[in-house]
Amino acid sequence: MTSRIEKGGAQFPGITLLLCENPLPPLDEAIAAARAVLPRSNHYTEPFSAPLRAALARHLGVPERLLHLNAGSELILRQLFDRFSQQVHLFTPTYALFPEIARSYTETLLLPENRFTLDLSQVTIPAGTTLVVIVNPNNPNGGTCEMTPLPDLLRRYSETYFLVDEAFIDLGGQSVVSLVPQYANLLVTRTLSKAHSLAGFRLGYAVLPEPLADDLNAHNDAYPLATPSQAAALATLAQREKITQRIQRLKHWTQTLANELENRGVTTYPTETYFFLADFTPYTGKAIADALAAARILVKPLDVPRLGAGFIRMTTAVPEDNAKVLQVLRDFFTAHPR
């Protein structure tokens, strides 16, 4: 088992704020669509999930042939790292999976004093790098990156692959999917787990240069998605307005939670998503996580030693659960004054 900081909690009997999961359930339309196809689950889906690939191609405005689908974006990320991670360059802190599955990596540090911002115009890629990974919006802090300098980097480092992980792009930031047909070294991964609330259905996809997309599809299971998953995805993609409305609610809840923590002396960092980084110093993240766990609220400290022991990635819950989180923290602060 790898990426333990990102695992666990599915059966936790309380409030789970650990996995960057959307606190809202799937749309009613998605649940109904998945339920409707269950009686036909003795049959395979169409090869390579053709209806969903076509819908995603229309949604993104890219040729269908550039799409690769699989059971969750983590599986696709592992496929790409298996091929290209001989020497990876990361912008850290980043998604916890990447340092674990890279064969070797260098890093550019994103600094709290700069609010964890990434300026691509100032980036230098070390010699010998085979894969550069940009997470936009970034995980664990939720901030976005100005992507205008990316084409210049793609041209300057034409022998290096650039992987842009857009798991949270529906929540904020500038997508670069439209650039993939123009650059043979640009890879983009996305998911329906986050803004679309379909994490349990395991729906990941990538937009890739044609030769790579062809190769991955040729060497993949011809039926990568379960029938209910495909149905739920198609139903959700048809409800853009509802997804947009839900995103606005999530952002409001997130900012309210961050503001409440700031009012109690906790440092928080800018986000475009439904999670953010919080620095609880002088308390340790472990002390905060233990206090929350005792109240059946699951979080974990951020495991990035250079940042210090006080950091936790906080994910919004629904407002009534956020109120419980804040009450536990108020009680902790009262019992342990600074």
Side-chain angles (χ1 to χ4, degrees):
M1 177 72 72
T2 60
S3 200
R4 289 187 181 275
I5 196 169
E6 297 287 339
K7 307 296 184 193
Q11 306 303 318
F12 185 77
I15 302 170
T16 303
L17 307 180
L18 173 62
L19 298 171
C20 287
E21 293 166 322
N22 191 322
L24 293 171
L27 293 174
D28 290 342
E29 291 86 347
I31 296 171
R35 184 178 291 120
V37 300
L38 284 174
R40 291 186 53 80
S41 293
N42 57 312
H43 298 288
Y44 292 108
T45 61
E46 298 82 355
F48 303 104
S49 299
L52 181 55
R53 288 182 74 211
L56 287 169
R58 292 192 299 270
H59 176 72
L60 299 172
V62 298
E64 184 177 335
R65 188 170 178 179
L66 304 188
L67 281 162
H68 172 64
L69 276 65
N70 225 322
S73 62
E74 180 176 322
L75 184 54
I76 298 173
L77 291 168
R78 290 178 180 275
Q79 289 174 306
L80 296 174
F81 269 64
D82 282 345
R83 291 169 179 249
F84 305 124
S85 74
Q86 293 88 348
Q87 184 63 45
V88 179
H89 191 70
L90 302 173
F91 301 96
T92 58
T94 188
Y95 179 33
L97 178 72
F98 295 143
E100 295 181 1
I101 64 175
R103 297 179 211 176
S104 178
Y105 71 91
T106 55
E107 57 188 320
T108 294
L109 305 180
L110 305 181
L111 303 173
E113 54 264 36
N114 293 334
R115 313 296 276 172
F116 296 103
T117 56
L118 169 60
D119 185 352
L120 286 181
S121 68
Q122 301 300 311
V123 164
T124 299
I125 306 302
T129 298
T130 55
L131 181 68
V132 177
V133 182
I134 301 165
V135 184
N136 189 43
N138 194 36
N139 179 1
N141 60 296
T144 57
C145 172
E146 171 58 55
M147 301 302 287
T148 304
L150 181 63
D152 179 60
L153 288 172
L154 292 167
R155 290 187 292 266
R156 284 166 50 202
Y157 300 98
S158 59
E159 300 302 312
T160 300
Y161 285 99
F162 284 72
L163 167 60
V164 182
D165 182 4
E166 294 187 346
F168 297 95
I169 198 67
D170 295 286
L171 295 142
Q174 175 188 358
S175 176
V176 295
V177 159
S178 64
L179 298 179
V180 173
Q182 304 171 46
Y183 294 95
N185 57 334
L186 176 59
L187 324 172
V188 180
T189 53
R190 300 182 68 159
T191 180
L192 296 179
S193 293
K194 308 305 183 182
H196 300 86
S197 297
L198 297 177
F201 282 104
R202 310 308 301 131
L203 293 152
Y205 61 100
V207 183
L208 306 168
E210 188 174 296
L212 179 57
D214 285 350
D215 192 40
L216 285 178
N217 286 329
H219 292 88
N220 196 53
D221 184 349
Y223 310 100
L225 302 181
T227 300
S229 295
Q230 179 175 289
L234 288 166
T236 301
L237 289 172
Q239 300 294 329
R240 291 194 193 186
E241 185 175 347
K242 287 188 177 182
I243 294 298
T244 299
Q245 292 171 351
R246 285 157 61 107
I247 287 170
Q248 295 309 311
R249 290 165 64 195
L250 289 167
K251 288 189 171 187
H252 175 70
W253 297 343
T254 304
Q255 193 57 57
T256 299
L257 178 60
N259 289 345
E260 290 288 343
L261 292 176
E262 286 274 353
N263 291 340
R264 287 161 178 80
V266 178
T267 301
T268 69
Y269 293 87
T271 181
E272 293 293 331
T273 68
Y274 52 76
F275 59 88
F276 56 91
L277 271 186
D279 182 4
F280 286 85
T281 304
Y283 309 106
T284 66
K286 183 180 185 307
I288 297 295
D290 287 348
L292 290 169
R296 298 173 63 175
I297 301 167
L298 182 61
V299 299
K300 284 186 180 179
L302 191 70
D303 187 21
V304 182
R306 70 174 176 84
L307 293 179
F311 278 82
I312 291 179
R313 182 187 60 195
M314 299 293 294
T315 303
T316 190
V318 296
E320 54 268 32
D321 287 342
N322 283 344
K324 296 175 185 176
V325 171
L326 290 168
Q327 185 57 56
V328 172
L329 291 175
R330 281 193 291 268
D331 294 343
F332 176 86
F333 296 151
T334 299
H336 304 85
R338 294 173 185 267

